[in-house]
Amino acid sequence: MKKRPLAIAIIAGLGMVAGVAAADDLQQKAAAMFSAIPQYPPVIDGNEMTDAKIELGKMLFFEPRLSASHLISCNTCHNVGMGGHDYLPVSIGHGWQKGPRNSPTVFNAVFNAAQFWDGRAADLAEQAKGPIQAGVEMGSTPERVEDTLNSMPDYVERFRQAFPGQESPVSFDNMATAIEAFEATLITPDSNFDKYLRGDTGALNAEEQEGLALFMNKGCVACHAGTNLGGQGYYPFGLVTKPGADILPTGDKGRFAVTATATDEYVFRAAPLRNIELTAPYFHSGAVWSLEEAVSVMGTAQLGSELAEDDVKSITAFLKTLTGKIPAVQYPELPPSTDSTPRPDPMTP
């Protein structure tokens, strides 16, 4: 009888060892599928990240005079104070028009393989050009943008410093390149999940680790892996079961509009999941406000499985560990307009 406490202690010790081994195994599997957000912005091919260029890009990101109305800036729809987006189902643009899709977050967008829900922009510089020219968004033109920037001596000097040696540094292309440089700095490292990936298994509690295991074992990781947990590939929305028209509007056929290929109908880029708790409403339609509901929808639509309530809660708890350190961005002081600055177009007729 005196040996029973020793036996119990041995069994308990073996259980602890097994638990530690299981935790280490989960961490190692996760580290093979995901990557932590780096501490510093990545290198962008063909775009040297200088202080002058980044500062210019920040000014342009907040510059409403890039729009025809002088009212809408990049930050309007990608608000760096609100998760890098605008908390609307779809954004409101020039003439108070509603855009066709939910605004993706600008945070960590540099890690996406392509930009926009349909991947029509190869990089952040190309993406920056689109909304400025879109009639439903900022409603301007490259010529108007260049005239606007050339009308302000401070911008002319800043372009000269950011793009030294160029004969005409103030250009629509250089505007986009500078915005790309700034947006590349909008990364959110040091989430609890990043700490976990780097070896701190205590960074996730038991429920969050259970959610991570479910996320991998149920198949979510097939579309949401890598640094951004998504943003790398294109998949049909409704791979197994199509959601209703409120979530998957029939008029928006996704990547089909880019490729004109029948198999790309209702195909969209897998949404990056970093900071997902900050970016409601969800999906390209912005139709779902609850993160738990979004997880449930993905279970039936993409996995063909109605997830148990406890599984949904655990996966949601894991997804909240993806919230990183939001970058501190000081609103820039923009130069004053001059007599030659194009005047704003009215938002309404």
Side-chain angles (χ1 to χ4, degrees):
M1 294 293 293
K2 293 182 180 180
K3 292 183 180 180
R4 286 194 65 184
L6 177 59
I8 292 172
I10 291 173
I11 293 171
L14 290 174
M16 290 179 63
V17 170
V20 170
D24 287 345
D25 183 54
L26 178 65
Q27 191 277 335
Q28 291 168 9
K29 287 182 178 177
M33 295 180 179
F34 310 103
S35 300
I37 297 289
Q39 294 292 324
Y40 301 100
V43 174
I44 300 177
D45 290 342
N47 191 354
E48 182 182 2
M49 302 277 283
T50 65
D51 290 342
K53 189 183 295 181
I54 292 170
E55 182 61 24
L56 172 61
K58 181 172 75 171
M59 294 174 70
L60 296 171
F61 185 86
F62 286 93
E63 179 54 81
R65 289 165 296 187
L66 296 181
S67 69
S69 64
H70 291 200
L71 185 64
I72 303 169
S73 70
C74 301
N75 190 65
T76 302
C77 300
H78 304 284
N79 194 312
V80 296
M82 299 198 306
H85 74 133
D86 57 12
Y87 276 113
L88 294 173
V90 295
S91 296
I92 305 299
H94 187 67
W96 309 113
Q97 300 175 86
K98 286 186 176 182
R101 295 175 184 156
N102 180 257
S103 176
T105 178
V106 71
F107 291 153
N108 305 307
V110 68
F111 301 116
N112 295 332
Q115 306 301 322
F116 295 114
W117 283 98
D118 54 20
R120 64 184 182 274
D123 51 40
L124 288 170
E126 186 177 344
Q127 186 279 329
K129 297 177 182 180
I132 292 174
Q133 300 177 83
V136 73
E137 296 183 67
M138 296 171 75
S140 192
T141 65
E143 295 76 21
R144 182 182 177 120
V145 166
E146 291 176 2
D147 288 344
T148 298
L149 295 172
N150 273 311
S151 74
M152 291 173 264
D154 186 42
Y155 272 134
V156 174
E157 176 59 21
R158 288 179 180 274
F159 270 89
R160 187 190 66 78
Q161 293 176 6
F163 299 94
Q166 293 190 14
E167 185 176 348
S168 302
V170 180
S171 70
F172 191 66
D173 286 344
N174 283 349
M175 174 216 68
T177 299
I179 291 175
E180 177 182 54
F182 168 66
E183 290 184 346
T185 70
L186 300 178
I187 59 177
T188 62
D190 295 327
S191 68
N192 285 344
F193 185 55
D194 287 335
K195 296 172 185 176
Y196 181 82
L197 290 176
R198 293 190 175 105
D200 180 4
T201 54
L204 301 190
N205 63 30
E207 182 183 29
E208 292 161 352
Q209 291 190 38
E210 174 66 17
L212 169 60
L214 288 166
F215 188 87
M216 293 191 291
N217 295 335
K218 291 286 188 181
C220 309
V221 72
C223 302
H224 299 282
T227 301
N228 233 2
L229 280 82
Q232 297 299 309
Y234 306 96
Y235 305 93
F237 191 6
L239 183 64
V240 179
T241 303
K242 279 194 175 184
D246 55 331
I247 296 176
L248 183 63
T250 56
D252 185 352
K253 295 188 177 182
R255 192 157 170 76
F256 174 79
V258 179
T259 66
T261 301
T263 53
D264 280 338
E265 287 190 0
Y266 304 107
V267 167
F268 297 87
R269 188 194 63 185
L273 300 182
R274 290 285 183 173
N275 308 299
I276 189 69
E277 69 172 320
L278 305 180
T279 59
Y282 302 109
F283 307 128
H284 68 284
S285 55
V288 173
W289 286 91
S290 163
L291 183 54
E292 286 192 2
E293 182 182 349
V295 171
S296 295
V297 168
M298 293 302 284
T300 54
Q302 302 304 101
L303 305 177
S305 172
E306 186 169 342
L307 298 172
E309 183 178 346
D310 287 346
D311 289 351
V312 170
K313 289 182 177 179
S314 294
I315 292 173
T316 301
F318 159 65
L319 292 177
K320 291 182 178 180
T321 73
L322 302 177
T323 302
K325 183 179 179 181
I326 303 302
V329 180
Q330 183 176 352
Y331 201 104
E333 181 179 351
L334 304 178
S337 296
T338 67
D339 289 342
S340 60
T341 303
R343 298 296 180 248
D345 291 345
M347 283 286 282
T348 55

